[in-house]
Every structure is written in structure tokens, then in C-alpha cells.
Amino acid sequence: MIALEAYNLSKTYRDRGKQIQAVRDVSLTIKPGEVLAFLGPNGAGKTTTIKMIAGLIRPDSGFVKIAGSDPHRDPCALKLLGAVLEGNRNVYWRLSPEENLEYFGMLRGLDQRQAKRYGRSLLERFGLMDKRRSPVQALSRGMQQKLAIAVALVHQPQLLLLDEPTLGLDVEATENVKALVREIAEEGRAILLTTHQLDIAEQLSDRVAIIQAGEIIAEEPTRELIRQFSGSAYTIELE
Ligand code: ATP
């Protein structure tokens, strides 16, 4: 089973009479256990693509299938998906990590006991037990990001979408999040992460798709792509 199949996605925004083609004919597939890095400079169309995959923006054309179901037609597809978009704003800042996990677990269809149990195992695994009762706003950015990923995983989705998962984190928190991403993939979940940093793509992904001005210009196994691009002008252009 393919975890994600996105086929020929296109999206044009209409903004004060102007048309902006953000994404053109983007196709991506990800297998269970695979990490695909979606790499491109600011404004390339990464967020628009990931939002179409998450069912938040309807594509003008093309389709998305998550483990076979279309999030734009079948609400059940959303249960197969976890997402951390727009930084870590998928958590409530005045609630504790424990409360967030329980609340979002129940929202995603778990009963209270399951939500508590899965929530607790994620808190343990993500090193958040000490802070489980503190308000999220009192946690470090790295801990908030780990919690955001935990919340996205509480209903055990097959596909995880991460928009710039290490952006703005310090070195230690970045290492922590990178280790978690690898572990989550090893459990057999498919991961699509966006980044504008070649080194993050290199360290975390099995395959890289490069997007520029709304179009995929290359898609390769990461090792192959790094060999081609290392030290080239493209690296500089992305930074
Ligand atoms: P960034 O890392 O800066 O978010 P990105 O690769 O994720 O960049 P998008 O956010 O998808 O790129 O933006 C792609 C293009 O679409 C850009 O030109 C952007 O200005 C434009 N765009 C994005 N959202 C909207 C919107 N809601 N209305 C109009 N134009 C938009």
C-alpha cells in the first residue's frame, strides 16, 4: 500500500485581481517507513502543496490519496493523517502537554482511556514526562515542537506531514527532533517534511523532491541528489 499518492496537484491563488500560480502539476508518492524531503526556497509552493495533501486547500486539479482515501472527499482519510503545520500552533498554549494529548486524541476518535494511554506513552517517549502538567506556553521551543509532533501522532496515523520541523530550534532541540523523525519512520509511518535546508534533507530523508516556482524540478534518492548538488550553486540558492 502506498501511504501517500499526490497526483498532478495544481493551485492558483487569486489575490486582489492578480493570479498567482503557487503549484503546478506536482506529483509525489511515499511508501510506509519512507521519509520524503520536500526541498525548495521560500515561496516555492511547499506549504501550499502540504496543505492540499492535508485537505486544507482544495487543489484546482489533481488528487490526493492517503492510504487509498481522498481527504477532500472522504473525512475518514483525515484519521490516517497527522500534521504539524505553521510552526507548532496545533497545540493549546494554556493547556498542559497531558491535556493537549488527551483532548486531541479524543477529537481524533479515541476513547478517553486510549487517549490517556497513548498520550502517556508519547510523553515518555518524547522526554516530556517532567513537564506533563506545565502549561505549554512555559515550555522551551524544542519541547513545544516535540509536543506538536506527539499530538500529530496520538491517533497513530500512517502519514505524518511536517512543515519545516526544525525551523527556529536550537542545536540540541534540532538533534532531538531529527532523532524523533527517524524513529517515527522506523515504526513504518510515512513522513513528508518540507525544508529549505539541504543538510536537513540530507540527514533525514530517503528521497528528496526539489520544488522551484511551483514545479518539481528533480526527485531522487537523497544520496544520489547530494552527490550531484554538493558544493554546487544550487545549495547557495536554497539558503
Ligand atoms: P515559505 O517557506 O515561504 O512558506 P513555500 O515554499 O511554502 O514558502 P507557499 O507558501 O506555498 O511557498 O507559497 C507559494 C506562492 O504562493 C508564493 O508566491 C506565495 O506568495 C503565494 N501564496 C501563498 N499563500 C497565498 C495566499 N493565501 N494568497 C495568495 N498567494 C499566496
Side-chain angles (χ1 to χ4, degrees):
M1 171 71 83
I2 294 174
L4 170 70
E5 193 184 0
Y7 181 74
N8 273 9
L9 297 178
S10 294
K11 179 72 194 174
T12 298
Y13 293 110
R14 283 159 192 87
D15 187 22
R16 280 165 280 160
K18 269 201 304 185
Q19 296 208 349
I20 302 156
Q21 175 132 37
V23 172
R24 189 196 307 256
D25 284 339
V26 163
S27 298
L28 298 168
T29 55
I30 314 182
K31 290 183 288 196
E34 195 176 32
V35 181
L36 177 76
F38 201 28
L39 180 70
N42 288 340
K46 304 183 295 294
T47 302
T48 302
T49 304
I50 216 168
K51 284 182 172 170
M52 288 192 278
I53 291 168
L56 292 171
I57 296 180
R58 189 170 279 279
D60 297 332
S61 57
F63 68 81
V64 178
K65 292 271 167 79
I66 298 167
S69 20
D70 181 339
H72 295 279
R73 289 167 197 271
D74 177 5
C76 289
L78 297 176
K79 290 198 178 154
L80 306 171
L81 169 80
V84 183
L85 308 177
E86 318 248 348
N88 45 27
R89 276 177 257 154
N90 62 332
V91 293
Y92 283 109
W93 288 69
R94 290 183 191 199
L95 298 184
S96 67
E98 202 169 59
E99 288 165 334
N100 267 288
L101 283 159
E102 194 175 321
Y103 174 71
F104 282 103
M106 286 163 64
L107 210 61
R108 297 291 197 140
L110 305 182
D111 66 37
Q112 194 168 14
R113 203 186 308 164
Q114 279 175 325
K116 267 191 200 296
R117 202 172 69 230
Y118 292 159
R120 199 171 173 92
S121 70
L122 286 162
L123 288 168
E124 275 166 6
R125 202 173 133 196
F126 284 34
L128 291 169
M129 277 303 273
D130 289 353
K131 301 284 181 189
R132 68 185 183 280
R133 301 212 170 105
S134 309
V136 170
Q137 61 194 0
L139 305 187
S140 67
R141 272 212 65 185
M143 284 185 174
Q144 289 168 352
Q145 180 66 340
K146 285 201 290 185
L147 177 65
I149 298 174
V151 161
L153 288 174
V154 72
H155 57 300
Q156 307 190 313
Q158 298 191 23
L159 172 68
L160 181 63
L161 305 177
L162 299 173
D163 198 6
E164 300 273 2
T166 59
L167 194 69
L169 300 185
D170 63 25
V171 177
E172 194 188 338
T174 298
E175 287 310 311
N176 262 315
V177 167
K178 285 193 318 204
L180 281 175
V181 168
R182 281 189 292 261
E183 262 184 45
I184 295 161
E186 275 162 24
E187 286 172 0
R189 298 184 210 285
I191 300 179
L192 171 60
L193 61 89
T194 71
T195 181
H196 62 280
Q197 293 170 278
L198 195 58
D199 59 331
I200 293 291
E202 181 178 3
Q203 290 154 14
L204 287 185
S205 66
D206 303 299
R207 274 188 304 129
V208 177
I210 298 183
I211 184 167
Q212 207 167 39
E215 290 185 89
I216 291 188
I217 57 163
E219 190 186 338
E220 311 253 10
T222 307
R223 220 174 292 153
E224 181 58 25
L225 189 113
I226 297 300
R227 198 182 58 74
Q228 287 172 29
F229 281 113
S230 62
S232 76
Y234 196 80
T235 317
I236 295 157
E237 203 179 312
L238 284 171
E239 293 301 330

